[in-house]
Amino acid sequence: MIVLGVESSCDETGLALYDTDRGLLSHALHSQVAMHEEYGGVVPELASRDHIRRAIPLLQQALQDAGIAARDVDAIAYTQGPGLAGALLVGSSIACSLGLALDKPVLGVHHLEGHLLSPLLASDPPEFPFVALLVSGGHTQLMRVDGVGQYELLGETVDDAAGEAFDKSAKLLGLGYPGGPAISRLAEFGDPAAYKLPRPMLHSKDLNFSFSGLKTAVLTVVKKQDAANVCEQSKADIARGFVDAIVDVLVAKCVAALKQTGLKRLVIAGGVGANSQLRAALNAAAAKKRFRVYYPELEFCTDNGAMIAFAGAQRLQINPQAARREYAFNVRPRWPLDELRVI
Ligand code: ATP
Ligand code: MG
Ligand code: FE
């Protein structure tokens, strides 16, 4: 069975083809990062318009790379939510229009389920059950995952997401948007002893997170500098202080979640999962505490169509009726992951 995946929830347009026999056939992606950069964040209206412009050429590219025709697709999976309503509507209308034109069934996929299952696309995928840390631009959650559609929320952020903290702190340091990768690179040159920033909720005894205070702590140290004159070294030192603090908290909560569930497999998903300092710290903890940690391929950490095609294919293998010839443009901008049920 070949599933076409369509991702358009935020600022990436992704189209991909996944074959349940042969694996991922192709994926095509356009990131709007450069377009939104001058505004310092995603402009929803511009995002929607750009998805419209990019989707069909990306579909053609994905089909060509896979060496198949549109009629060879068996089902179309699209991101139904959560995300920006207008952006989601573009992917949903493209999926439904294609479905109608080709007489193929469509199914809506939960974006976070796509992220969560993306490590299963790697060459050495984890078995169920596992603990998953979902760290993206909009979410920071620890989940217990017993199978496709079997998700139990263990803890989550009470305010900003980890990716949001990276982006906002990077902005305070004048590093552009999205700042996650930039602040991470700069931190490599920073002195870990220069700034000891707070580790919010490290000792909260639950699996929740809070990152807005960390961003405020960055603001406070930046303000103490002569704004026009923050030298490169102190920027790097602040970046290092920030990254160390956020990584400490993320790793400690992952270890606590493994202890609480008794599981030995940890899966990292979402854009912040691409962070090299987080990966190094998790690998060190895994060696010390004897658990295994799994990551998605770097290119599948941030938004992409492959994870949507894959999640759709997993659902269809459990329940072939999950995709229907019902072409309503049905999106859910807000949609808690633990509301998803086993099909
Ligand atoms: P959500 O999936 O919650 O709706 P999103 O789709 O915007 O949000 P992703 O695409 O998964 O989020 O990830 C984007 C986030 O990941 C951004 O906040 C970005 O700064 C962050 N990010 C990407 N690479 C890195 C990195 N190397 N280090 C730290 N953060 C990173
Ligand atoms: Mg994005
Ligand atoms: Fe995402």
Side-chain angles (χ1 to χ4, degrees):
M1 177 180 51
I2 297 179
V3 180
L4 168 68
V6 183
E7 158 62 32
S8 72
S9 67
C10 187
D11 59 348
E12 269 89 25
T13 322
L15 279 289
L17 291 155
Y18 182 83
D19 185 337
T20 47
D21 294 327
R22 293 187 289 158
L24 189 65
L25 301 180
S26 65
H27 74 103
L29 185 74
H30 175 77
S31 173
Q32 305 174 354
V33 156
M35 183 179 79
H36 297 295
E37 200 174 3
E38 65 176 294
Y39 304 97
V42 177
V43 184
E45 175 65 20
L46 294 183
S48 309
R49 287 191 228 166
D50 203 57
H51 287 307
I52 293 174
R53 269 195 295 270
R54 305 284 176 181
I56 300 300
L58 288 170
L59 169 65
Q60 285 163 337
Q61 189 192 322
L63 288 169
Q64 197 180 0
D65 291 351
I68 64 166
R71 64 177 177 281
D72 298 329
V73 168
D74 296 299
I76 303 161
Y78 65 94
T79 304
Q80 191 175 8
L84 302 168
L88 290 166
L89 276 167
V90 176
S92 153
S93 21
I94 281 164
C96 290
S97 315
L98 274 172
L100 189 61
L102 300 168
D103 189 27
K104 306 288 181 185
V106 299
L107 96 149
V109 166
H110 196 293
H111 179 78
L112 299 184
E113 179 172 60
H115 276 302
L116 208 62
L117 299 179
S118 62
L120 302 182
L121 274 166
S123 52
D124 180 20
E127 282 172 30
F128 297 116
F130 52 75
V131 167
L133 172 70
L134 182 69
V135 264
S136 58
H139 296 82
T140 301
Q141 301 184 327
L142 275 161
M143 318 276 307
R144 181 193 164 104
V145 179
D146 284 289
V148 174
Q150 295 174 262
Y151 312 123
E152 184 196 340
L153 184 67
L154 301 172
E156 65 183 330
T157 181
V158 298
D159 42 53
D160 291 354
E164 196 178 351
F166 266 96
D167 294 339
K168 287 178 174 169
S169 300
K171 202 169 180 176
L172 292 171
L173 292 171
L175 297 177
Y177 174 86
I183 201 169
S184 167
R185 274 193 301 275
L186 192 59
E188 290 295 322
F189 304 101
D191 173 2
Y195 294 97
K196 191 88 178 159
L197 298 187
R199 270 85 173 136
M201 293 181 75
L202 185 61
H203 303 295
S204 64
K205 296 202 169 24
D206 57 23
L207 298 174
N208 291 330
F209 305 86
S210 164
F211 294 118
S212 71
L214 187 52
K215 167 197 68 195
T216 312
V218 171
L219 177 65
T220 311
V221 290
V222 169
K223 270 191 173 161
K224 276 193 193 142
Q225 317 271 327
D226 172 2
N229 250 328
V230 189
C231 70
E232 281 309 307
Q233 189 56 50
S234 37
K235 267 195 197 180
D237 292 344
I238 299 169
R240 180 64 190 255
F242 166 80
V243 171
D244 284 354
I246 204 160
V247 165
D248 264 6
V249 177
L250 290 172
V251 173
K253 298 276 171 164
C254 285
V255 170
L258 289 165
K259 193 169 172 206
Q260 182 181 308
T261 56
L263 298 176
K264 291 279 176 205
R265 284 183 290 268
L266 176 69
V267 157
I268 309 298
V272 181
N275 182 269
S276 55
Q277 290 96 349
L278 177 63
R279 287 188 176 212
L282 284 169
N283 292 343
K288 198 167 148 205
K289 308 252 178 202
R290 297 182 185 283
F291 61 86
R292 257 198 88 176
V293 54
Y294 299 81
Y295 307 95
E297 304 284 350
L298 270 182
E299 61 178 338
F300 298 140
C301 283
T302 44
D303 294 349
N304 63 84
M307 67 184 194
I308 303 303
F310 181 73
Q314 300 308 302
R315 287 204 160 245
L316 284 168
Q317 283 189 303
I318 298 172
N319 175 14
Q321 309 303 318
R324 294 170 197 273
R325 285 177 170 75
E326 282 171 16
Y327 306 115
F329 297 177
N330 191 359
V331 298
R332 296 188 63 176
R334 287 175 187 277
W335 187 6
L337 181 60
D338 55 350
E339 274 183 18
L340 264 188
R341 287 291 160 255
V342 190
I343 320 114

